[in-house]
């Protein structure tokens, strides 16, 4: 790691190019400490480097000059124009819509790095105005399948992070629901876990799927033990992204034991009903149970006091949350579902591993037994890359 690795917090008049080398250093190795492929590193350096040069040529030289409008102008005049050139068949070198979206993701990744290091208050590439001129991301081979794009993941995680922060400022430890939602969206957005592996499935034939517990998670190693698709227990790599929200959730939830689910339901009727059922199984009379229930204003207080286990949030409950958050964060989703889905998050994680690391890394992250499953899921990536290669090969004809 070079001395570029830790940029200091800068003022608005610092050049947008200053953290570039530090950014490249941060992307040079994977989370496991392995060096990334040379192809990826070269492409990232070329695309982001070209973007910095183009912005400077437009008079956008400092962080103070950078906003959503500036990104939108570059998107329209460079990315969208090159896509239009390719589609019109002119002699001007063009790119596919898929490539335009990849280039945009690279630039957005750089700006997100700058935001993380507090060089920017927000990522201007994550704004609706900046994304508006961007050509639609091409549909995958299986059109009904949704993939969270890096942009969609960035926008929805930023939304739940801000929502939780505001709730904590207002209500402190009473902001449990918002803190839980923050940790949940980060977990599904970055881990590649299936919704049914971490949440409760309210169906009789899936009685083992009651939601992951605090006993299943290792916050130091960044791993989560889940009941996989084939009913075998498997380790999920969380990455470092969900760890701070999960640690905050543990502090606010204050579970009475590690048997508590990580993502407890916040539906009070469900909590009271489960408490009544658990207390009744302890040979208490119905009258005694009702008297005990009436002595508590909040159900989780009773769960802690009487060694009860609260039920986890259901997969259906999580879907309702995603519908609400997609709308609130002003994310436009095309396809069969008009909101970001649980499985779309998983596919999006795999796509990022596939693009930026390797097909083998995507297979391991998604825990596919057969590599053909991974290859078929991300065949659109190979096709898009080959299309661009072919365009260059036949450019002279």
């Amino acid at each position: 790691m070079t001395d570029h690795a830790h940029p200091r917090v800068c003022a608005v008049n610092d050049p947008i190019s200053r953290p570039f080398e530090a950014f490249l250093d941060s992307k040079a190795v994977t989370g496991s400490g392995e060096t990334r492929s040379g192809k990826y590193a070269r492409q990232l350096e070329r695309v982001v480097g070209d973007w910095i040069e183009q912005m400077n040529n437009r008079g956008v030289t400092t962080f103070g000059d950078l906003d959503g409008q500036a990104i939108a102008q570059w998107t329209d005049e460079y990315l969208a124009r090159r896509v239009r050139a390719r589609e019109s068949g002119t002699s001007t070198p063009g790119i596919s819509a898929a490539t335009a979206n990849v280039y945009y993701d690279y630039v957005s990744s750089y700006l997100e790095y700058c935001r993380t290091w507090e060089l920017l208050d927000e990522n201007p590439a994550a704004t609706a105005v900046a994304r508006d001129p961007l050509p639609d991301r091409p549909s995958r081979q299986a059109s009904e399948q949704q993939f969270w794009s890096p942009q969609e993941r960035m926008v929805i995680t930023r939304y739940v992070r801000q929502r939780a922060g505001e709730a904590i400022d207002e209500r402190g430890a009473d902001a449990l629901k918002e803190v839980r939602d923050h940790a949940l969206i980060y977990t599904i957005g970055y881990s590649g876990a299936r919704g049914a592996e971490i949440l409760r499935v309210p169906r009789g034939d899936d009685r083992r799927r009651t939601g992951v517990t605090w006993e299943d998670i290792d916050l130091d190693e960044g791993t989560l033990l889940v009941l996989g698709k084939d009913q075998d227990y498997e380790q999920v790599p969380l990455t470092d992204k969900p760890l701070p929200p999960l640690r905050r959730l543990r502090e606010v939830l204050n579970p009475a034991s590690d048997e508590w689910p990580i993502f407890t339901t916040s539906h009070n009727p469900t909590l009271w009903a489960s408490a009544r059922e658990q207390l009744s199984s302890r040979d208490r009379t119905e009258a005694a149970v009702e008297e005990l229930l009436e002595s508590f204003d909040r159900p989780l207080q009773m769960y802690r006091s009487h060694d009860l286990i609260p039920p986890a949030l259901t997969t259906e409950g999580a879907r309702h949350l995603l519908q609400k958050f997609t709308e609130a964060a002003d994310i436009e989703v095309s396809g069969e579902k008009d909101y970001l889905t649980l499985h779309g998050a998983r596919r999006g994680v795999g796509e990022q591993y596939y693009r930026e690391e390797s097909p083998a890394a995507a297979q391991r992250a998604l825990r596919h037994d057969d590599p053909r499953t991974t290859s078929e899921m991300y065949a659109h990536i190979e096709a898009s890359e080959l299309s661009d290669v072919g365009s260059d090969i036949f450019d002279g004809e």
Side-chain angles (χ1 to χ4, degrees):
M1 191 68 69
T2 73
D3 58 1
H4 297 293
H6 300 288
R8 64 176 175 80
V9 175
C10 69
V12 293
N13 61 349
D14 277 13
I16 60 175
S17 60
R18 191 176 60 75
F20 182 48
E21 293 299 328
F23 167 73
L24 294 177
D25 284 348
S26 73
K27 296 293 185 179
V29 295
T30 68
S32 61
E34 299 175 352
T35 303
R36 291 189 189 274
S37 67
K39 175 186 173 183
Y40 169 75
R42 288 192 301 271
Q43 189 173 29
L44 190 67
E45 182 175 10
R46 176 179 62 81
V47 172
V48 179
D50 285 349
W51 172 80
I52 291 173
E53 182 178 353
Q54 292 172 48
M55 297 305 286
N56 287 338
N57 291 339
R58 287 177 165 82
V60 181
T61 60
T62 69
F63 285 105
D65 300 326
L66 202 56
D67 59 16
Q69 291 286 354
I71 301 296
Q73 185 177 5
W74 168 77
T75 304
D76 183 49
E77 295 180 0
Y78 178 66
L79 295 180
R81 180 181 61 80
R82 292 189 67 188
V83 172
R84 290 192 295 269
R86 174 170 175 164
E87 292 173 346
S88 64
T90 65
S91 58
T92 304
I95 58 176
S96 68
T99 297
N101 276 271
V102 170
Y103 287 0
Y104 192 91
D105 290 344
Y106 286 164
V107 170
S108 183
S109 178
Y110 175 62
L111 295 175
E112 183 63 15
Y113 174 85
C114 295
R115 188 204 64 78
T116 300
W117 282 96
E118 300 180 358
L119 308 176
L120 287 164
D121 290 334
E122 65 173 14
N123 179 352
T127 60
V129 66
R131 298 195 310 271
D132 186 58
L134 189 67
D136 289 340
R137 190 177 296 268
S139 60
R140 277 68 178 184
Q141 186 169 355
S143 59
E144 74 279 3
Q145 291 188 346
Q146 181 194 107
F147 295 67
W148 285 22
S149 71
Q151 284 301 115
E152 290 166 340
R153 183 167 49 244
M154 196 177 301
V155 172
I156 196 169
T157 53
R158 182 180 63 175
Y159 171 78
V160 293
R161 181 177 67 246
Q162 292 176 343
R163 176 174 175 265
E166 292 170 359
I168 290 171
D169 290 341
E170 293 176 3
R171 307 197 306 276
D174 288 337
L176 174 58
K177 186 176 186 298
E178 292 82 0
V179 172
R180 180 207 63 187
D181 296 343
H182 180 203
L184 172 65
I185 298 303
Y186 266 72
T187 299
I188 65 173
Y190 289 102
S191 70
R194 299 176 178 88
E197 292 175 335
I198 63 174
L199 300 168
R200 178 165 57 94
V201 178
R203 295 194 298 270
D205 56 346
D206 281 322
R207 292 181 180 177
R208 296 177 67 190
R209 298 197 179 279
T210 57
V212 289
T213 69
W214 292 102
E215 191 174 30
D216 299 323
I217 193 169
D218 189 327
L219 291 172
D220 294 323
E221 295 295 327
T223 59
L224 183 65
L225 185 67
V226 302
L227 182 63
K229 185 177 181 179
D230 296 328
Q231 301 292 314
D232 293 325
Y233 283 96
E234 303 169 353
Q235 290 284 356
V236 171
L238 288 174
T239 78
D240 62 346
K241 295 292 187 181
L243 297 182
L246 285 164
R247 290 191 178 101
R248 174 60 65 88
L249 174 59
R250 176 147 196 154
E251 291 174 4
V252 174
L253 177 61
N254 187 26
S257 76
D258 283 347
E259 295 179 40
W260 276 37
I262 297 174
F263 306 109
T264 59
T265 182
S266 59
H267 187 240
N268 277 340
T270 299
L271 286 167
W272 289 119
S274 179
R276 180 178 288 105
E277 181 180 350
Q278 292 181 58
L279 290 169
S280 298
S281 68
R282 297 177 179 180
D283 295 329
R284 292 175 181 264
T285 65
E286 183 177 347
V289 169
E290 294 304 321
E291 182 179 358
L292 182 57
L293 293 176
E294 292 174 1
S295 66
F296 287 91
D297 295 328
R298 298 183 180 183
L300 287 183
Q301 293 175 341
M302 179 177 52
Y303 277 85
R304 294 188 185 94
S305 299
H306 292 273
D307 195 27
L308 306 178
I309 306 297
L313 177 72
T314 64
T315 50
E316 186 61 30
R319 292 188 189 100
H320 286 307
L321 289 176
L322 282 167
Q323 287 177 292
K324 182 173 73 171
F325 297 157
T326 302
E327 181 178 358
D330 196 25
I331 302 172
E332 293 186 8
V333 180
S334 59
E336 182 181 352
K337 303 291 186 182
D338 61 355
Y339 64 93
L340 296 178
T341 66
L342 288 168
H343 215 65
R346 171 176 164 81
R347 296 191 191 102
V349 168
E351 182 174 44
Q352 199 79 348
Y353 276 101
Y354 199 104
R355 284 189 185 278
E356 299 198 8
E357 186 58 27
S358 68
Q363 180 192 349
R364 293 196 302 271
L366 298 183
R367 294 164 286 123
H368 287 156
D369 291 333
D370 190 339
R372 288 178 297 181
T373 304
T374 314
S375 297
E376 290 169 2
M377 181 178 290
Y378 300 109
H380 62 281
I381 297 177
E382 297 290 347
S384 176
E385 290 180 351
L386 284 173
S387 178
D388 288 332
V389 170
S391 297
D392 292 338
I393 291 174
F394 301 114
D395 186 49
E397 296 186 9

